[in-house]
């Protein structure tokens, strides 16, 4: 069974540009989460989808971040316009409904904003 | 405010030694998960504990969930260089709620 995949693995952009990150969860996993780790800090929650619906977006830093999960399959996270403080590693995780919320993580996208 | 305090932050030991990593909180979690992360990769799930007082073993790794479900520990017996990595604890308050992570413990086992 394929794991969670993320694209791209790395992205380097200039301040003010737009970047779109993609996450493909494990097939059949209705829960999809976005997390971010900035340098020196712990991994922090951004957003939670249940199928195509946003269940919790309390962790989104501001309205420059837009996440979508059309059709309840893959998800995208767009940052527009990017700022220096958006640099970090963005992780996607997925889990099945019910159970004990065992989340499986993708390899992450390392975003560098110059 | 850090919800999950993980200690120690760094640990460097000789091969064959034992070690314990702690994860403490003032909050109660419905489940707590331990992950291991290698450079350039995402966290890999090691174990999930859900019952107060629960002990789970994974080869040389022993995981314990506190009776009050506020803390957890990871004990490694006879550490090996292959155990080197970043160990993360993460808790869920209820059901499918997002995980709250500790800052991690970076373990280095020297041959």
């Amino acid at each position: 069974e394929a794991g969670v995949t993320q694209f791209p693995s790395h992205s380097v952009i200039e301040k003010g540009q737009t970047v779109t990150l993609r996450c493909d969860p494990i097939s059949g996993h209705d829960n999809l989460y976005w997390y971010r780790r900035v340098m020196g800090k712990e991994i922090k929650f951004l957003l939670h989808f249940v199928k195509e619906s946003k269940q919790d977006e309390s962790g989104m830093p501001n309205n420059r971040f837009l996440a979508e999960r059309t059709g309840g399959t893959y998800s995208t996270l767009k940052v527009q316009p990017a700022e220096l403080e958006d640099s970090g590693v963005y992780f996607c995780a997925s889990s099945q409904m019910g159970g004990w919320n065992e989340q499986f993580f993708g390899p992450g996208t390392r975003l560098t904003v110059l | 405010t850090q919800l999950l305090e993980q200690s120690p932050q760094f640990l460097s030991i000789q091969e064959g030694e034992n070690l314990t990593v702690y994860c403490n909180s003032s909050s109660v979690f419905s489940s707590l998960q331990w992950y291991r992360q290698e450079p350039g990769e995402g966290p890999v799930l090691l174990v999930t504990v859900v019952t107060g007082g629960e002990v789970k073993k994974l080869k040389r790794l022993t995981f314990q969930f506190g009776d009050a479900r506020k803390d957890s520990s990871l004990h490694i017996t006879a550490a090996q260089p292959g155990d080197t990595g970043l160990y993360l604890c993460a808790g869920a308050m209820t059901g499918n709620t997002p995980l709250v992570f500790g800052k991690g413990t970076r373990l280095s086992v020297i041959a």
Side-chain angles (χ1 to χ4, degrees), chain A residues 24-36:
Chain A
D24 286 80
I26 293 173
S27 178
H29 281 192
D30 288 336
N31 289 304
L32 188 150
Y33 305 83
W34 283 98
Y35 294 87
R36 177 175 73 173

Side-chain angles (χ1 to χ4, degrees), chain A residues 1-112:
Chain A
E1 179 182 292
V4 178
T5 58
Q6 291 186 246
F7 182 84
S9 57
H10 295 83
S11 180
V12 181
I13 60 173
E14 299 277 338
K15 174 182 172 180
Q17 289 185 322
T18 298
V19 63
T20 300
L21 314 181
R22 173 170 170 145
C23 167
D24 286 80
I26 293 173
S27 178
H29 281 192
D30 288 336
N31 289 304
L32 188 150
Y33 305 83
W34 283 98
Y35 294 87
R36 177 175 73 173
R37 183 170 194 151
V38 298
M39 182 96 59
K41 301 286 188 181
E42 70 275 16
I43 295 173
K44 285 192 174 177
F45 164 73
L46 296 176
L47 177 79
H48 172 204
F49 282 101
V50 175
K51 297 184 180 179
E52 68 276 7
S53 299
K54 291 177 185 176
Q55 181 76 13
D56 182 353
E57 50 185 329
S58 62
M60 295 287 259
N62 50 61
N63 59 10
R64 295 185 293 104
F65 289 74
L66 176 63
E68 295 180 331
R69 192 182 182 196
T70 307
T73 54
Y74 71 92
S75 174
T76 58
L77 178 64
K78 181 161 66 174
V79 185
Q80 179 183 29
E83 298 289 344
L84 299 179
E85 64 265 24
D86 300 332
S87 295
V89 182
Y90 290 76
F91 292 105
C92 174
S94 70
S95 68
Q96 294 179 320
M97 287 303 293
W100 291 106
N101 197 15
E102 293 185 320
Q103 296 186 20
F104 297 89
F105 282 74
T109 294
R110 180 173 295 279
L111 174 64
T112 302

Side-chain angles (χ1 to χ4, degrees), chain A residues 100, chain B residues 28-34 47-56 63-73 92:
Chain A
W100 291 106
Chain B
V28 176
F29 294 98
S30 67
S31 67
L32 195 138
Q33 300 170 20
W34 283 92
V47 79
T48 300
V49 286
V50 302
T51 305
E54 181 176 7
V55 177
K56 280 191 174 179
F63 304 86
Q64 186 162 6
F65 203 10
D67 291 341
R69 290 187 286 122
K70 293 182 179 181
D71 54 85
S72 182
S73 64

Side-chain angles (χ1 to χ4, degrees), chain B residues 21-57:
Chain B
V21 176
Y22 299 93
C23 189
N24 297 301
S25 176
S26 57
S27 301
V28 176
F29 294 98
S30 67
S31 67
L32 195 138
Q33 300 170 20
W34 283 92
Y35 292 84
R36 178 177 158 183
Q37 186 177 10
E38 302 284 353
E41 299 179 6
V44 175
L45 182 63
L46 296 175
V47 79
T48 300
V49 286
V50 302
T51 305
E54 181 176 7
V55 177
K56 280 191 174 179
K57 292 193 174 184

